[in-house]
Amino acid sequence: EADIYQTPRYLVIGTGKKITLECSQTMGHDKMYWYQQDPGMELHLIHYSYGVNSTEKGDLSSESTVSRIRTEHFPLTLESARPSHTSQYLCASSWGAGFSGANVLTFGAGSRLTVL
Amino acid sequence: RKEVEQDPGPFNVPEGATVAFNCTYSNSASQSFFWYRQDCRKEPKLLMSVYSSGNEDGRFTAQLNRASQYISLLIRDSKLSDSATYLCAAITGNQFYFGTGTSLTVIP
């Protein structure tokens, strides 16, 4: 059913490791986003991209980085994971050159990261 | 001030009840609005877009009041399966802004 895929779904890793969370969408959407959400808490935008080779930081400061080399792919990388990075990371995408009621966000199922 | 604000609840209502959620937005330039549903430990999923004239989808009715800068969601005849967190969202400029979500539990 989902047209936006995230891997891994769950990751438990030790402090200091480098990790990459993958996000791919098959809808041809120009816009892609990464949100961070702790349990029971609000969504925080950490990165977004409006197209290939375009990336911006979101409202929440994050030590992660992103790249957008292909339209369908928007990976997020943490060079050195820390326990404070433990959270759920949600990738999303939307369609269109502008913003309107038709440009809804579609979310992936999320990557739940635990850093020990 | 946050772009979008919601009462976090929780709302605990009996089956069959009607429940209403409100959401306010701070920027009068916000141009599009949505309600999302998020189940525990799942991703948000679009419930419905909110149109200026108001819109209905089965038991769900969404309304927009631009003068007072709020949107609302009405759920009639609540079902147990409606238990979830409901997030409102607004597009302002080039950004989506989400509220913190309102938790709903429908009780048998």
Side-chain angles (χ1 to χ4, degrees), chain A residues 9-51:
Chain A
R9 291 290 313 280
Y10 303 93
L11 178 64
V12 180
I13 202 164
T15 297
K17 300 292 186 183
K18 177 180 179 178
I19 62 163
T20 296
L21 304 180
E22 302 286 351
C23 178
S24 295
Q25 49 94 7
T26 59
M27 298 172 282
H29 285 175
D30 291 324
K31 299 181 179 66
M32 295 188 76
Y33 311 81
W34 277 102
Y35 288 86
Q36 186 175 341
Q37 185 180 38
D38 293 322
M41 305 298 284
E42 64 192 286
L43 291 160
H44 290 287
L45 179 66
I46 51 174
H47 295 284
Y48 60 97
S49 167
Y50 289 159

Side-chain angles (χ1 to χ4, degrees), chain A residues 26-108:
Chain A
T26 59
M27 298 172 282
H29 285 175
D30 291 324
K31 299 181 179 66
M32 295 188 76
Y33 311 81
W34 277 102
Y35 288 86
Q36 186 175 341
Q37 185 180 38
D38 293 322
M41 305 298 284
E42 64 192 286
L43 291 160
H44 290 287
L45 179 66
I46 51 174
H47 295 284
Y48 60 97
S49 167
Y50 289 159
V52 171
N53 295 324
S54 156
T55 62
E56 301 286 345
K57 289 187 180 293
D59 300 325
L60 182 68
S61 174
S62 174
E63 293 162 348
S64 57
T65 58
V66 292
S67 62
R68 190 89 183 276
I69 299 171
R70 304 197 316 266
T71 298
E72 63 272 21
H73 194 215
F74 191 41
L76 180 144
T77 298
L78 276 165
E79 290 293 332
S80 179
R82 294 207 300 271
S84 60
H85 296 140
T86 295
S87 189
Q88 172 157 267
Y89 293 85
L90 289 157
C91 182
S93 70
S94 67
W95 177 84
F99 282 90
S100 73
N103 292 323
V104 297
L105 274 183
T106 302
F107 285 87

Side-chain angles (χ1 to χ4, degrees), chain B residues 4-61:
Chain B
V4 176
E5 297 203 66
Q6 289 182 255
D7 180 350
F11 283 66
N12 300 316
V13 302
E15 257 186 303
T18 295
V19 61
F21 305 137
N22 282 337
C23 173
T24 58
Y25 59 95
S26 60
N27 194 328
S28 59
S30 296
Q31 63 261 47
S32 299
F33 306 91
F34 310 89
W35 283 101
Y36 278 77
R37 170 192 169 127
Q38 186 173 24
D39 293 298
C40 187
R41 302 176 83 81
K42 300 280 191 179
E43 75 274 23
K45 292 188 177 179
L46 180 69
L47 181 66
M48 57 199 303
S49 300
V50 185
Y51 301 121
S52 297
S53 54
N55 47 302
E56 189 174 303
D57 182 2
R59 298 181 293 108
F60 298 85
T61 301

